Amino acid sequence: MIQCLLDAVAVMRGDFQDKFGTPRQPGLVPSARGRVVLLPPYDQPAAVAGLEQYSHLWLLFWCHANRSEDVRLTVRPPRLGGNRRLGVFATRTPYRPNPIGLSLVRFRGVAVERGEMYLKVEGADIVDGTPILDIKPYLPYADQVAGAQAPEAFSASPPVQYRIIFSPEAAVELQRHPDGERLRCLIEEVLALDPRPAYHADGTGRQYGMRLAGLEINWALAGDAIQVIGLKPADDHAATDSAR
């Protein structure tokens, strides 16, 4: 077997602190912000010279939060309701022989803060702390394919199935937060995608928790809506990526 040794060129710092709640594709949560923090020796102006001419970037990353036993030949895509199996190479599942992910993000410029050089990006589907293996500019003439085809279930963005409502307590906490307006949009965009596992389709009354943008968000399905029950500063050591 050919061996390939890869070193990270950067690390992702963003809103998604758990796998649960992270969107399953890039661009679905445009309010998501992130920093691609460059690592030595790539944290130098020479490495990003000319990058300001591009609007979008491809990020190749290592799905470090996966478990080795998660590798499988077939998977049950959530878009198919979790009821049908497809071959791993016919899907974008993160559970791959080599857990390499690909994310197309909007690029908002290069910045330096406290000795760190980073790229400002939006719309990523990458968990905070993820190693970035490579960064490539998006080229419209090569990357946009006219007439490209995919199965019908994967040909359009996932539909919005639920209204998002906030409890009075959660609404007050958002009003108090200095970035409350963006956080409201971020929470709404994430929950509108219904991040629950497909086998929780009948999960009315079940409470969920996830860490998002430094907050612990508690929410539940309530009829035809998803209600944000409460939010508070997240405990970085808390495990909130599962149903309660």
Side-chain angles (χ1 to χ4, degrees), residues 16 21 23 25-33 122-124 185-186 189-190 193:
F16 305 112
Q25 298 295 339
L28 297 178
V29 180
S31 295
R33 296 178 184 171
E122 297 174 354
C185 292
L186 178 67
E189 290 169 4
V190 168
L193 297 172

Side-chain angles (χ1 to χ4, degrees), residues 101-162:
L102 180 66
S103 187
L104 179 62
V105 299
R106 178 174 288 278
F107 175 50
R108 292 300 192 183
V110 180
V112 178
E113 185 177 338
R114 298 177 182 175
E116 288 187 337
M117 176 174 286
Y118 60 89
L119 313 181
K120 297 183 289 185
V121 299
E122 297 174 354
D125 57 338
I126 305 176
V127 177
D128 181 77
T130 294
I132 304 298
L133 301 177
D134 204 359
I135 301 162
K136 299 177 184 289
Y138 176 86
L139 301 178
Y141 82 91
D143 296 336
Q144 182 175 333
V145 182
Q149 297 182 3
E152 183 178 356
F154 302 102
S155 295
S157 297
V160 174
Q161 300 180 1
Y162 298 102

Side-chain angles (χ1 to χ4, degrees), residues 167-223:
S167 71
E169 294 80 7
V172 168
E173 290 301 319
L174 278 178
Q175 291 174 354
R176 292 174 177 171
H177 198 285
D179 199 21
E181 184 174 348
R182 184 187 77 89
L183 286 175
R184 175 182 284 271
C185 292
L186 178 67
I187 293 168
E188 289 177 344
E189 290 169 4
V190 168
L191 294 183
L193 297 172
D194 190 6
R196 297 176 303 149
Y199 57 84
H200 283 191
D202 60 346
T204 299
R206 184 191 296 264
Q207 185 174 331
Y208 298 84
M210 63 185 183
R211 293 182 300 168
L212 183 64
L215 296 174
E216 183 175 347
I217 315 294
N218 294 308
W219 54 277
L221 183 64

Side-chain angles (χ1 to χ4, degrees), residues 49-140:
L51 201 61
E52 73 281 354
Q53 301 175 71
Y54 297 94
S55 64
H56 291 75
L57 304 174
W58 290 108
L59 302 180
L60 283 80
F61 58 94
W62 191 262
C63 301
H64 70 297
N66 288 3
R67 301 170 301 183
S68 59
E69 62 267 27
D70 285 333
V71 176
R72 58 202 73 172
L73 297 181
T74 63
V75 296
R76 300 177 185 268
R79 290 290 294 274
L80 300 180
N83 299 317
R84 290 177 51 196
R85 286 192 174 273
L86 292 177
V88 62
F89 298 129
T91 74
R92 300 274 290 262
T93 178
Y95 303 112
R96 318 191 68 78
N98 293 304
I100 297 174
L102 180 66
S103 187
L104 179 62
V105 299
R106 178 174 288 278
F107 175 50
R108 292 300 192 183
V110 180
V112 178
E113 185 177 338
R114 298 177 182 175
E116 288 187 337
M117 176 174 286
Y118 60 89
L119 313 181
K120 297 183 289 185
V121 299
E122 297 174 354
D125 57 338
I126 305 176
V127 177
D128 181 77
T130 294
I132 304 298
L133 301 177
D134 204 359
I135 301 162
K136 299 177 184 289
Y138 176 86
L139 301 178

